[in-house]
Amino acid sequence: EGKMAARLSGGENRLVSLPLSRIRVIMKSSPEVSSINQDALFLTAKATELFVQYLATYSYKHGRGKEKNALTYSDLSHTAEECETFQFLADILPKKILASKYLKMLQKEKQDGELGEDDEDEEDEDEDET
């Protein structure tokens, strides 16, 4: 514990790029967490940093952004959708769609829902007859 905690003192905490105070706030937001060891805080920050680097690198290499020498949001969302390792991020990195297309999807879901409810009523009536 001593060596790592010593690294965190003073200006040397630049071993991680993410702000430790923010990481601490996020960790403390969990009801199961009562206190946070400095080493755990540092390791969580470093692991998060490495994960973000891996996600960005993977998305860049497998996306279309490299054609423009840039990492794009669509590269990240495509990775979240297509790569099993990152599928847990699909809700956080959804594919961008136009608002008009989204409204059409909502309308279709509403219509399908209404049709589905009618179908259920018909099934209930059939069961009553038997």
Side-chain angles (χ1 to χ4, degrees), residues 55-71 75 79:
L55 171 63
T57 302
Y58 185 95
S59 298
Y60 180 79
K61 285 181 180 175
H62 294 87
R64 286 181 277 147
K66 64 182 170 196
E67 297 165 7
K68 304 173 195 167
N69 202 25
L71 175 63
D75 292 336
T79 295

Side-chain angles (χ1 to χ4, degrees), residues 14-76:
R14 289 296 98 204
L15 294 172
V16 291
S17 300
L18 299 172
L20 296 178
S21 59
R22 292 287 187 156
I23 302 292
R24 182 182 284 113
V25 167
I26 294 168
M27 290 172 76
K28 280 193 170 185
S29 70
S30 174
E32 296 91 36
V33 176
S34 56
S35 65
I36 300 166
N37 176 303
Q38 275 298 102
D39 289 349
L41 176 63
F42 173 80
L43 291 172
T44 300
K46 193 64 182 175
T48 302
E49 193 175 294
L50 293 171
F51 173 77
V52 171
Q53 285 177 350
Y54 178 59
L55 171 63
T57 302
Y58 185 95
S59 298
Y60 180 79
K61 285 181 180 175
H62 294 87
R64 286 181 277 147
K66 64 182 170 196
E67 297 165 7
K68 304 173 195 167
N69 202 25
L71 175 63
T72 65
Y73 179 87
S74 62
D75 292 336
L76 292 167

Side-chain angles (χ1 to χ4, degrees), residues 1-15 37-39 42:
E1 182 182 335
K3 286 182 182 179
M4 203 175 294
R7 288 183 188 171
L8 294 173
S9 64
E12 288 190 63
N13 64 358
R14 289 296 98 204
L15 294 172
N37 176 303
Q38 275 298 102
D39 289 349
F42 173 80

